[in-house]
Amino acid sequence: YKDKESLLSSALNHLFQMLRYEEVRDQCQGLELILAGMKHNWKNKQVQISGSAALFYILKGENREKVTHLQRRKVILTLLDAMEQFRHDRTMLRNVLLNFCSMHLPDNLTFCHHRMIRNLMEVVVSDNQEDFIQKLGIILLNCLACQVDGEEKLTFGELGAIEAMLKIIRRKLALNQCDENMEVSWSMMWNITDETAENCKRFIDNNGLELFKSCLVRFADKEELLRNMMGLMGNIAEVRELRKKLMEGDFMDIFCKLMESEMDGIEVSYNAVGIFSHITADGENAWTISQPTRNEVMMRMMRAIKRWPLESRRNINYRSFGPILNLLKAFDTPAAQYWAVWALCNLTRVYPERYCRLLKSEGGLALLETVEADPRTLEEVKTLAHTVIEQVRNGPEKVKAESESNPEDQSDD
């Protein structure tokens, strides 16, 4: 029926119902036929809607693992064609986005990376978009942002992702709504600003810092929101030429208060101390405000760090330790060095399989040995540095076994 649109649409609807309620064999053959029908009738909206609905139950069903990489690629391209052809039809958009969510987009989307981002951004910034469709679009953009690094993160910025997320947040702020759309918008910006200075600058240039303050004041009790916002502020603090912006206005007072926060475990406090670690490590001459003083802030940083249990589980994901390793050299800023060594000790202890290998591959052991041997290093920092070195040398298996055998063990630091 590929040349008979109404019959094809009817057949696709029947197949959709069968896939939804019955057991259907040869689903991969069905997938190929659906794609062929959609491709042949790409201008027929009902065929595209019925086909995409049927695809959904193949891609989320028990046979999903049988779908090959090449078939997944064909599905993605066919759905993008449908999305672009009927970009203002909500049923079409909902079907396409649900398919993308159900199929777990592959890590390697180089064949359509720009196209995917561009289409998703058009969905999320539309003023008349329904909340559920916008939510799916933001979630998918955030998933893509988590999978990329380097140049691909720049692509998000170049295609207007920062401006798009800020637009969504401003809209939610005007409605006094802190929902999942707002939280994921901040999370996405946190992801695409990680070690990407250009995107951090875009955030600042579009008055993102003022929006941070507005959200903090309005939604001070929202843990997930605060964690995502502080993660983004931490990324900005890692950029030397931008962190001076955090010393303007009342940001320093805000971060001082957040250092003492116990919201979301240690995450809010951890990120606040991390921000100050990068700012204080620039030295006395870079400290351009009279209150609070640099020494006062460093004392408060030390007090906060000593409060954190070393076994704390984390809501954070490091792809690189580069910015932290740079702080190991800050012998004239012991509080910043303390934060850096504590972070490495915590991560290699709680998540040894991932972070022991990462630390070793980035040359962290040699730097920690220098920290441990240097007479300028505080004793508690030396102890932590020695612990990290031992954890990495012993290997993930032994660290994990020791941690599991003594789950209540916490450092005196």
Side-chain angles (χ1 to χ4, degrees):
Y1 295 143
K2 71 174 184 178
D3 294 319
K4 300 178 180 180
E5 294 178 348
S6 62
L7 289 173
L8 175 62
S9 179
S10 177
L12 288 169
N13 273 323
H14 280 294
L15 180 57
F16 162 71
Q17 295 295 336
M18 290 173 66
L19 288 164
R20 188 176 185 185
Y21 297 114
E22 303 172 24
E23 184 176 338
V24 178
R25 291 182 296 174
D26 300 324
Q27 288 193 12
C28 287
Q29 183 186 7
L31 181 143
E32 290 287 353
L33 290 169
I34 294 167
L35 293 176
M38 291 176 70
K39 188 176 180 66
H40 192 70
N41 299 275
W42 62 278
K43 287 187 177 181
N44 185 294
K45 182 166 73 174
Q46 196 52 52
V47 168
Q48 299 302 312
I49 288 174
S50 300
S52 59
L55 282 175
F56 176 76
Y57 283 98
I58 294 177
L59 295 170
K60 77 182 285 288
E62 293 179 0
N63 293 313
R64 62 188 297 175
E65 299 303 324
K66 295 180 182 177
V67 178
T68 68
H69 178 76
L70 182 59
Q71 286 176 322
R72 285 159 65 88
R73 179 171 173 155
K74 287 165 68 175
V75 168
I76 291 169
L77 292 175
T78 301
L79 290 173
L80 283 173
D81 287 341
M83 188 178 186
E84 290 168 353
Q85 183 67 21
F86 304 105
R87 61 180 73 249
H88 300 301
D89 187 275
R90 290 183 175 180
T91 303
M92 185 79 260
L93 290 177
R94 194 182 304 114
N95 284 6
V96 169
L97 297 181
L98 283 170
N99 268 294
F100 286 154
C101 287
S102 71
M103 69 190 298
H104 301 302
L105 293 174
D107 292 346
N108 184 5
L109 275 176
T110 51
F111 64 93
C112 67
H113 193 248
H114 284 225
R115 187 181 175 197
M116 177 72 78
I117 296 171
R118 190 173 60 250
N119 277 284
L120 290 174
M121 289 222 301
E122 188 170 320
V123 168
V124 302
V125 299
S126 173
D127 291 328
N128 300 315
Q129 199 59 268
E130 68 175 54
D131 255 21
F132 180 67
I133 293 176
Q134 186 184 65
K135 172 183 168 182
L136 293 176
I138 298 170
I139 289 171
L140 284 164
L141 280 168
N142 195 38
C143 288
L144 291 174
C146 290
Q147 293 174 358
V148 302
D149 46 32
E151 291 298 317
E152 290 178 316
K153 284 188 179 178
L154 279 176
T155 300
F156 278 91
E158 290 163 358
L159 291 175
I162 297 288
E163 293 84 351
M165 295 304 106
L166 291 174
K167 180 179 178 180
I168 292 166
I169 293 165
R170 287 191 180 95
R171 189 185 302 156
K172 292 296 180 182
L173 195 60
L175 295 170
N176 199 32
Q177 288 180 354
C178 179
D179 58 7
E180 189 175 359
N181 287 4
M182 175 181 269
E183 290 174 350
V184 180
S185 294
W186 280 106
S187 176
M188 186 195 161
M189 290 193 293
W190 179 11
N191 281 318
I192 63 174
T193 53
D194 182 30
E195 295 194 56
T196 311
E198 292 87 342
N199 288 346
C200 291
K201 187 174 186 303
R202 284 190 178 92
F203 174 81
I204 291 173
D205 290 345
N206 285 278
N207 296 318
L209 290 176
E210 291 306 312
L211 202 55
F212 162 76
K213 284 201 287 189
S214 298
C215 288
L216 184 64
V217 170
R218 191 81 60 87
F219 307 115
D221 60 335
K222 302 293 184 180
E223 288 192 358
E224 176 96 8
L225 177 70
L226 190 52
R227 178 203 312 157
N228 294 341
M229 293 197 301
M230 287 300 288
L232 172 52
M233 293 299 110
N235 288 343
I236 292 170
E238 290 176 2
V239 183
R240 189 179 186 92
E241 60 270 22
L242 296 181
R243 49 181 170 253
K244 60 186 177 183
K245 294 286 185 181
L246 301 180
M247 298 185 73
E248 298 173 1
D250 53 354
F251 285 108
M252 301 298 270
D253 290 329
I254 290 171
F255 296 139
C256 275
K257 290 175 184 174
L258 291 175
M259 272 200 294
E260 294 162 10
S261 170
E262 294 184 0
M263 285 183 68
D264 196 24
I266 70 165
E267 295 302 329
V268 173
S269 177
Y270 172 89
N271 278 313
V273 176
I275 290 166
F276 276 127
S277 294
H278 292 288
I279 294 173
T280 55
D282 284 340
E284 189 70 50
N285 292 336
W287 196 267
T288 56
I289 57 174
S290 56
Q291 288 295 326
T293 67
R294 181 169 174 267
N295 285 338
E296 178 188 343
V297 167
M298 287 195 291
M299 291 297 294
R300 293 174 75 167
M301 289 165 64
M302 303 276 278
R303 286 201 298 270
I305 296 168
K306 289 178 179 179
R307 237 184 23 246
W308 305 335
L310 197 53
E311 305 287 345
S312 298
R313 301 198 70 79
R314 311 300 307 284
N315 287 305
I316 200 163
N317 180 25
Y318 284 102
R319 287 171 175 257
S320 167
F321 281 143
I324 293 178
L325 295 179
N326 284 335
L327 292 174
L328 295 181
K329 307 165 191 173
F331 288 98
D332 59 343
T333 315
Q337 193 180 54
Y338 192 1
W339 176 82
V341 177
W342 189 96
L344 295 175
C345 194
N346 163 255
L347 293 165
T348 54
R349 172 175 290 213
V350 181
Y351 307 103
E353 296 94 338
R354 174 166 193 180
Y355 291 120
C356 286
R357 186 179 298 110
L358 179 63
L359 181 61
K360 196 172 183 178
S361 69
E362 294 190 327
L365 284 183
L367 287 169
L368 286 163
E369 287 167 354
T370 301
V371 168
E372 185 184 16
D374 197 292
R376 294 171 292 177
T377 307
L378 297 176
E379 286 304 316
E380 52 263 59
V381 177
K382 286 184 178 183
T383 301
L384 283 174
H386 180 78
T387 302
V388 182
I389 293 167
E390 289 300 304
Q391 286 172 174
V392 175
R393 284 179 176 161
N394 288 338
E397 294 77 13
K398 186 171 181 180
V399 175
K400 188 175 182 181
E402 289 176 352
S403 178
E404 289 175 349
S405 67
N406 190 15
E408 300 301 321
D409 179 41
Q410 294 180 357
S411 167
D412 292 336
D413 297 324

